Amino acid sequence: MQAFLLLLALPVWMWLGLSILRRCSGLPMVWQITASGLPRRSQRLSRAWTNAGFAAVVLAYPLLRGRMPLDYYASLFPFERAAALRLLGGFFGTVTYLSLIYLAWIATDQVRIGVRHAGSVVARRLAAVPFSALLGAVMEELLFRAVFMAELLESMSPAPAVAVGALVFAAAHYVRRVKRYWTFAGHVGLGVLLCTCFAATHSLWLPIGVHAGGIFVIMGVRPFVRYTGPGWLVGASIFPYAGAAGVLGLSLLTYNLWLLFGATQ
């Protein structure tokens, strides 16, 4: 319950920060959590405010349970022989699946490849991909698996814990105002994958590897890919998992990773 209450506090924190920034920018307050209309500097401050809220939740959770944050999170990064296998296996497993999906789409003209930006812009974006993949994966896995999913597993068996964890993870991506809501099923599928990885191994190595691999591929191809196929098949440009091919790929990857890392636990 502590983890859930902390997660519920995050949208309030985000809305409060955005409301202050909107006031300072002379914009009217709105109930939606959106940075639309804010100056670029205020948008950067909004992201920093949100990240500060994430960090506060991650630090507060173990303290509320009477443990030091370093001790608590170190227990979820065990230095064991399987650690590198889980991290790299998750990363390259996701990269392989997504690469096969993109190759199939290219072969059937569902996506087209081309340079869409100036060379300097492409180089800058590609240079940021590894760092964004690692930081994004670590931040979300600490919040949704090390905090929320870990608490669920204390009171539930793995199957219902994975279901609840996946739904909350998916819903969290729609707290802000977004362009599309039909992508929800893809986020649920991604949540099932990541929650299963955590439930199977009781550590963060595998889910971080999987999560980082997905961000790495999706951000890496964005400067070159134009989606021409229907949304129900190829998903959205920022989230190809949302289409039918992506959901199927998530399901197969979940099953394969469970067989590799969870079935013998």
Side-chain angles (χ1 to χ4, degrees), residues 6-7 9-11 13-14 46-61 73 135-136 138-144 147 169 172-173 175-176:
L6 287 171
L7 284 183
L10 270 178
W13 172 265
M14 294 164 63
S46 172
R47 287 192 291 270
W49 178 273
T50 298
N51 290 336
F54 273 55
V57 169
V58 169
L59 291 173
Y61 178 69
Y73 292 110
L135 290 176
V138 170
M139 185 169 63
E140 290 203 9
E141 292 312 305
L142 286 175
L143 183 66
F144 290 105
V147 173
F169 172 77
H173 288 78
V175 169
R176 289 179 178 270

Side-chain angles (χ1 to χ4, degrees), residues 219-240:
M219 289 191 65
V221 302
R222 280 184 69 183
F224 307 103
V225 168
R226 181 167 65 89
Y227 293 77
T228 56
W232 66 265
L233 177 63
V234 300
S237 60
I238 59 171
F239 190 55

Side-chain angles (χ1 to χ4, degrees), residues 60-99:
Y61 178 69
L63 292 173
L64 289 172
R65 298 170 61 87
R67 296 184 63 177
M68 295 301 294
L70 184 59
D71 172 64
Y72 175 73
Y73 292 110
S75 69
L76 297 175
F77 287 99
F79 285 97
E80 54 190 8
R81 188 182 306 174
L85 177 62
R86 290 171 177 174
L87 182 67
L88 296 176
F91 180 86
F92 287 109
T94 307
V95 168
T96 299
Y97 264 80
L98 271 175
S99 298

Side-chain angles (χ1 to χ4, degrees), residues 114-218:
V115 179
R116 301 169 55 198
H117 307 279
S120 59
V121 174
V122 172
R124 187 169 61 251
R125 292 186 178 182
L126 291 179
V129 167
F131 303 100
S132 298
L134 181 60
L135 290 176
V138 170
M139 185 169 63
E140 290 203 9
E141 292 312 305
L142 286 175
L143 183 66
F144 290 105
R145 253 58 67 184
V147 173
F148 187 62
M149 185 67 183
E151 188 174 84
L152 288 178
L153 287 170
E154 292 178 356
S155 58
M156 296 181 180
S157 58
V162 166
V164 174
L167 286 172
V168 171
F169 172 77
H173 288 78
Y174 298 85
V175 169
R176 289 179 178 270
R177 190 176 71 182
V178 296
K179 294 180 180 179
R180 310 170 184 87
Y181 289 91
W182 59 267
T183 53
F184 184 78
H187 277 104
V188 172
L190 179 59
V192 169
L193 168 62
L194 296 170
C195 289
T196 298
C197 290
F198 183 76
T201 61
H202 301 285
S203 77
L204 289 172
W205 295 117
L206 182 58
I208 285 177
V210 169
H211 206 147
I215 298 174
F216 181 82
V217 174
I218 292 171

